[in-house]
Amino acid sequence: MRPPRAVAPATDFVTRCVVVLIVAVAGIGPTTSPAWAAPTQAQPHDSSPDTDHCPHRVSPPPAVDESEVVAPGSTTPSPLPVHSPPVGGEALGGCGVVADSSAGRVPERLTSAAWLVADLDSGAVIAAKDPHGRYRPASTIKVLLALTALRSGISLDKPVTATADDWSAEGDSCGMGPGGKYTMRDMMIGLLMVSGNDCAHVIARDLGGVDVTLTKMNELARSLQAYDTRASTPSGLDSAGMSTSPYDLAVIFRAAMQNSTFRDIIAMPNHPFPGYPKRPDVPGDVDHPGYLMQTSNHLLLEGDPGVLGGKTGYTDDAQKTFVGAVKQDGRTVLVVQMYGLSTADDNYWDQARSLVTYGARAPREAKVGELASTSGERATTSDGARASTSDGARATTSDGARAGVATTEARTSQGVAYQDSTSGWSVRILVGLVGLLVALLLLLLALRLFRRR
């Protein structure tokens, strides 16, 4: 048997290796998930879908029904091209959470696959998740229809005669009928307050028909630099080719809020909608009295302070969508939610409230991008950064530092944090180091036992 002194050098070497590994394992945690950054993994009650790898960069999530199946002989529209550089600044080209570190931790328990928080007045984007991801708008596209109609000079005092096509419109309706006395103002209010698809049909007819209206809506979207947006129905009912994004909805809503008529209507909690007489073609029918419509925006309906208005939406394919604005703590906060749901203990409206509060409390200088101006000028970040929408895009901050638009949490010179799969590599490295540490500890134990023999 070898003398003990021959084993000592090997034992000392293994001991030094163990110490080095302990230091390495202890130091890896803080560098991969800094306290100021957004979480790299879903938090305990957070059911927001993972978008870090850009599953919806080109097209919305798969449909769950046959609403987007085209008619025989028709062609499914090709996806809209992905704009490069991303409108609003290169950081908004990421697909995970992007947030200014100075704004603090983003709200938890968000179910939306994509969302955005911005300052309505300045246009500064404070934080977002998958801001340019493509999703179905559902009835939030009615904001674009309303703005298209208002910019076309539609007369709100114009009398409206309802047709069978109007009151037969699929989905939510205001309840029009033959012989009712309506005005275009009733249609516009019904469109925005209760998502009346019958009202959308009337407005589209007044603009020249569905096809002409869709052309006008999509031209307006492009003029606003809402390049992720294509309306394929005026009402927001799912149809092949329909898409928008949190960024685009924010831009469109911000433009609409600059129209005083839209701003007045979207802030209305209720409105008396006219009834219509009994229908002679329906046996046993009775008169249909008017009623008081109430907004579908629960922030406004429930009396939350400072609510300026908002538009809701829902279809089976789009899930819940919302865009709205609230003035809180002296700041007007614009929020967008897309592809989300309420859960048993996590109401969608409470999620909206948490986003509003987060935006209101953020420092005024907190900014990760900006909403395109309504004048049609290209929007960039404050330092004029431009970038490709490719996953490997690089960003130039105001001090010239370079930063990747990968979605891992990495601090740029402006404190912007990203989420990415790179955190997964950190976990693998950590697990590997721990495994190696265990192996060395076992080896050290074996050598010491051998030495005692």
Side-chain angles (χ1 to χ4, degrees):
M1 183 177 66
R2 292 182 180 179
R5 63 177 179 275
V7 182
T11 303
D12 292 341
F13 174 77
V14 173
T15 302
R16 293 189 186 99
C17 289
V18 170
V19 172
V20 170
L21 280 173
I22 291 174
V23 173
V25 170
I28 196 170
T31 61
T32 58
S33 182
W36 48 264
T40 56
Q41 299 178 359
Q43 299 181 47
H45 303 289
D46 188 357
S47 55
S48 176
D50 181 7
T51 58
D52 287 354
H53 301 288
C54 306
H56 313 308
R57 181 184 292 278
V58 176
S59 300
V64 299
D65 53 30
E66 297 183 354
S67 60
E68 298 187 10
V69 176
V70 299
S74 299
T75 303
T76 301
S78 300
L80 294 170
V82 176
H83 196 268
S84 178
V87 183
E90 68 174 283
L92 301 184
C95 302
V97 173
V98 55
D100 192 306
S101 61
S102 66
R105 198 173 182 84
V106 300
E108 300 181 9
R109 299 169 61 84
L110 301 177
T111 62
S112 295
W115 49 264
L116 182 143
V117 181
D119 187 307
L120 181 73
D121 297 324
S122 70
V125 177
I126 300 167
K129 180 175 184 287
D130 202 12
H132 279 293
R134 270 81 184 273
Y135 298 87
R136 296 172 184 84
S139 285
T140 57
I141 203 67
K142 289 183 170 82
V143 174
L144 181 61
L145 173 61
L147 184 58
T148 300
L150 291 171
R151 287 195 174 189
S152 73
I154 191 171
S155 173
L156 297 183
D157 295 324
K158 179 181 179 180
V160 170
T161 300
T163 69
D165 287 340
D166 298 333
W167 66 70
S168 300
E170 178 186 354
D172 293 336
S173 68
C174 292
M176 302 175 68
K181 304 295 184 182
Y182 311 105
T183 66
M184 196 60 71
R185 187 181 304 277
D186 293 321
M187 299 300 101
M188 188 66 68
I189 295 174
L191 177 81
L192 297 173
M193 183 175 290
V194 297
S195 283
N197 290 348
D198 47 358
C199 299
H201 194 272
V202 170
I203 293 171
R205 185 174 71 245
D206 191 76
L207 290 173
V210 171
D211 291 341
V212 172
T213 298
L214 292 176
T215 298
K216 291 180 178 180
M217 290 171 68
N218 290 325
E219 287 177 349
L220 176 56
R222 285 192 295 273
S223 74
L224 296 174
Q225 300 182 66
Y227 298 127
D228 302 315
T229 298
R230 176 166 56 200
S232 54
T233 63
S235 65
L237 288 173
D238 295 325
S239 179
M242 179 82 87
S243 77
T244 189
S245 66
Y247 182 87
D248 283 13
L249 275 185
V251 167
I252 293 167
F253 189 80
R254 184 174 182 236
M257 289 294 282
Q258 294 179 9
N259 182 288
S260 60
T261 300
F262 177 91
R263 195 170 181 124
D264 290 343
I265 292 175
I266 206 70
M268 296 173 64
N270 53 60
H271 174 74
F273 194 80
Y276 60 93
K278 63 182 180 180
R279 295 177 55 173
D281 59 327
V282 178
D285 195 28
V286 296
D287 288 343
H288 301 264
Y291 71 101
L292 188 67
M293 292 190 303
Q294 289 188 317
T295 179
S296 59
N297 176 7
H298 279 237
L299 301 183
L300 183 60
L301 186 63
E302 296 174 17
D304 284 33
V307 177
L308 301 182
K311 185 71 197 76
T312 61
Y314 176 83
T315 67
D316 290 340
D317 288 340
Q319 297 192 12
K320 283 184 176 291
T321 59
F322 176 70
V323 56
V326 179
K327 190 165 186 178
Q328 187 177 111
D329 297 336
R331 188 175 202 175
T332 306
V333 181
L334 188 162
V335 299
V336 180
Q337 298 165 277
M338 302 200 75
Y339 204 67
L341 288 172
S342 290
T343 60
D345 62 345
D346 189 17
N347 186 275
Y348 207 55
W349 294 110
D350 289 336
Q351 296 173 40
R353 291 180 177 104
S354 69
L355 289 171
V356 169
T357 300
Y358 170 80
R361 293 177 178 176
R364 289 298 189 269
E365 65 273 12
K367 180 177 180 180
V368 295
E370 63 183 355
L371 301 178
S373 66
T374 57
S375 64
E377 296 176 359
R378 180 179 301 280
T380 61
T381 54
S382 59
D383 52 17
R386 297 169 64 86
S388 167
T389 52
S390 64
D391 289 337
R394 308 295 295 176
T396 303
T397 59
S398 58
D399 60 2
R402 308 291 290 180
V405 185
T407 49
T408 187
E409 294 177 345
R411 188 184 308 206
T412 67
S413 63
Q414 293 178 321
V416 179
Y418 306 97
Q419 286 183 297
D420 192 52
S421 59
T422 310
S423 59
W425 285 107
S426 299
V427 173
R428 295 185 184 99
I429 293 171
L430 181 60
V431 171
L433 287 174
V434 170
L436 183 57
L437 176 59
V438 171
L440 287 173
L441 285 171
L442 291 174
L443 178 58
L444 179 60
L445 178 61
L447 288 172
R448 290 188 179 277
L449 289 174
F450 182 77
R451 183 180 182 183
R452 291 174 182 174
R453 295 179 58 186

